[in-house]
């Protein structure tokens, strides 16, 4: 999914009240919580919780429900961040290709010296090297790639927490 901040600013934001914030906080902690359990937690009926969540989904406040997997627990040992400079005429093409790569977990068009900022997860150093040599470096328009490997994760958050 491509998220364009300038387009988002054209749509008036949904007015969230304290109850909506409580619902979002609870879902952020556990998106599998039942409507009934969530209702008990915040003092609403199951139907009222369901209606509020449906409204937030329809308004685009909630984009999706997902699971967060610990990469190390499934054998993915290398986490790396990449700054990728690209010729402007190739930016969209490269971004679309990289967005389809299974190893790429996030991809952003950034201001500053780097055109794209990317995060990837790999089985090991050889897997990352193969990605670089066979996928990234072969794309037309790539000017420069800087790679930084993650040593230790202190905090990681998926999505926005209110």
């Amino acid at each position: 999914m491509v998220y364009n901040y300038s387009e988002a600013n054209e749509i008036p934001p949904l007015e969230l009240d304290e109850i909506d914030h409580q619902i979002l906080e609870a879902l952020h902690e556990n998106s599998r919580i039942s409507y009934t359990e969530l209702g008990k937690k915040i003092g609403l009926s199951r139907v009222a919780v369901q209606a509020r969540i449906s409204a937030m989904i329809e308004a685009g406040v909630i984009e999706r429900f997902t699971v967060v997997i610990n990469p190390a627990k499934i054998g993915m040992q290398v986490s790396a961040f990449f700054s990728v400079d690209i010729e402007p005429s190739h930016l969209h093409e490269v971004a679309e290709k990289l967005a389809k790569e299974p190893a790429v977990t996030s991809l952003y068009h950034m201001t500053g010296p780097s055109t794209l900022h990317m995060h990837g997860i790999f089985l090991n150093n050889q897997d990352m090297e193969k990605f670089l040599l066979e996928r990234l470096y072969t794309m037309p328009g790539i000017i420069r790639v800087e790679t930084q490997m993650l040593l230790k994760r202190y905090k990681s958050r998926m999505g926005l927490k209110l």
Side-chain angles (χ1 to χ4, degrees):
M1 170 186 291
V2 175
Y3 186 79
N4 187 331
Y5 279 93
S6 60
E7 287 175 10
N9 291 333
E10 295 171 10
I11 302 167
L14 182 67
E15 293 292 328
L16 301 178
D17 62 16
E18 182 57 35
I19 302 260
D20 292 327
H21 283 266
Q22 289 176 22
I23 290 171
L24 290 171
E25 185 174 329
L27 289 174
H28 197 269
E29 293 302 317
N30 177 10
S31 66
R32 294 185 64 190
I33 191 170
S34 71
Y35 293 148
T36 302
E37 188 178 340
L38 183 51
K40 286 178 186 174
K41 188 174 185 173
I42 61 174
L44 286 180
S45 70
R46 178 195 60 78
V47 174
V49 167
Q50 185 174 2
R52 283 177 176 260
I53 290 173
S54 294
M56 287 188 277
I57 291 169
E58 191 172 312
V61 172
I62 298 173
E63 291 184 349
R64 66 180 177 209
F65 296 88
T66 188
V67 63
V68 178
I69 299 169
N70 182 331
K73 299 291 184 182
I74 60 168
M76 306 298 277
Q77 299 298 316
V78 175
S79 176
F81 293 88
F82 303 87
S83 296
V84 185
D85 287 342
I86 304 163
E87 293 174 12
S89 61
H90 292 276
L91 176 64
H92 188 69
E93 171 191 352
V94 170
E96 283 185 345
K97 285 181 183 176
L98 288 173
K100 292 176 184 172
E101 287 290 334
V104 175
T105 62
S106 59
L107 181 65
Y108 304 98
H109 184 197
M110 305 290 286
T111 61
S114 172
T115 308
L116 291 178
H117 184 71
M118 176 175 70
H119 177 257
I121 297 178
F122 307 91
L123 287 172
N124 50 39
N125 286 340
Q126 292 78 19
D127 188 36
M128 183 177 73
E129 181 181 27
K130 182 178 179 181
F131 170 79
L132 288 169
L133 294 174
E134 296 178 10
R135 299 278 200 243
L136 191 59
Y137 294 161
T138 61
M139 291 184 187
I142 300 287
I143 298 169
R144 184 177 63 89
V145 176
E146 275 187 30
T147 305
Q148 295 179 316
M149 291 176 55
L150 179 70
L151 297 177
K152 184 174 183 178
R153 176 176 58 174
Y154 290 99
K155 180 178 180 179
S156 179
R157 181 184 314 145
M158 302 310 259
L160 174 66
K161 187 170 181 176
L162 299 176

